[in-house]
Amino acid sequence: MGLSIHAPDGEIRFAHPALPGFIQELEIRNLKVGAASLDLVLRRYDNDVGINVARRDGDIHVVAIK
């Protein structure tokens, strides 16, 4: 997935995200970074992975590097 968490910056990073062919969609619920939390939905496309923030509580940012 290329997932890394940078807690001091309040940031979740996806570097060149990818999902294996047998996973079409992946949900990550209640991911906590410090006092913040969020729900993410990752969806595989032919040549890409989409990242959707389904819920955010607190000051946290999601960054995708493609």
Side-chain angles (χ1 to χ4, degrees), residues 4 16 23 31 38 40 49-50 52 55:
S4 61
H16 311 288
I23 297 178
L31 179 60
L38 51 79
L40 298 171
V49 172
N52 183 45
R55 180 192 62 82

Side-chain angles (χ1 to χ4, degrees), residues 3-59:
L3 170 70
S4 61
I5 297 174
H6 299 265
D9 300 328
E11 202 170 81
I12 296 172
R13 295 180 191 164
F14 289 90
H16 311 288
L19 290 174
F22 61 90
I23 297 178
Q24 186 65 29
E25 185 173 284
L26 176 70
E27 292 184 34
I28 302 172
R29 294 185 184 169
N30 205 31
L31 179 60
K32 295 182 184 229
V33 178
S37 67
L38 51 79
D39 296 343
L40 298 171
V41 179
L42 285 75
R43 182 161 182 82
R44 186 175 57 80
Y45 297 97
D46 288 337
N47 297 313
D48 198 8
V49 172
I51 302 168
N52 183 45
V53 177
R55 180 192 62 82
R56 180 188 334 246
D57 182 24
D59 188 22

